[in-house]
Amino acid sequence: MTEKSGCDEHCEELDFSARIRLNGVLQGEWEEIAVRRRTELETAAERPRLLTGLSLSGGGIRSATFNLGLLQALAGAAKLRGFDYFSTVSGGGYVGGWWSAWLARRRDDRALFPAPSRIF
């Protein structure tokens, strides 16, 4: 009896032609970051040499509260625009998800964080 690979019956249905290479992914990210930096920071549109990220840690509601304060402090110091990547885990995801949703529906294109009176 000959074993089948699982692909024998449906291989012709699979399209292996369009593959994305890592260099293509990185180039696309750099282009997006350059556009954001040009718009938000009014800097040159060249390939970014230094990329920065902000990560919000986990730990339940305590970390969510801490991370909210962290975002408020960074917004108050006008530092949020300097980050290229944003990552969250666990409790940090509560605030990160809220902030991402707020950014998606913000009315003022220049505001990166709501005023404290609009948070609660």
Side-chain angles (χ1 to χ4, degrees):
M1 183 161 110
T2 307
E3 286 189 36
K4 294 186 175 185
S5 67
C7 182
D8 295 338
E9 298 173 20
H10 303 287
C11 282
E12 65 278 354
E13 298 173 16
L14 302 175
D15 179 13
F16 293 104
S17 61
R19 294 188 178 149
I20 299 174
R21 303 279 185 214
L22 179 59
N23 287 343
V25 172
L26 292 175
Q27 184 63 38
E29 283 188 18
W30 290 330
E31 289 170 7
E32 288 290 325
I33 289 169
V35 167
R36 185 193 58 80
R37 285 182 175 186
R38 188 172 50 244
T39 304
E40 298 279 338
L41 303 174
E42 300 172 358
T43 61
E46 63 191 39
R47 176 180 163 182
R49 295 190 189 281
L50 197 61
L51 300 173
T52 59
L54 176 64
S55 179
L56 302 183
S57 66
I61 194 65
R62 284 183 288 193
S63 73
T65 304
F66 173 82
N67 288 318
L68 176 59
L70 175 68
L71 287 176
Q72 287 175 313
L74 289 170
K79 299 289 185 189
L80 282 178
R81 293 185 195 286
F83 293 103
D84 300 305
Y85 292 98
F86 183 58
S87 173
T88 67
V89 64
S90 191
Y94 296 130
V95 174
W98 166 80
W99 186 44
S100 295
W102 183 85
L103 285 172
R105 62 178 184 268
R106 65 185 170 168
R107 305 285 190 266
D108 179 4
D109 288 338
R110 301 298 294 172
L112 278 185
F113 202 78
S117 61
R118 297 197 56 211
I119 292 175
F120 300 104

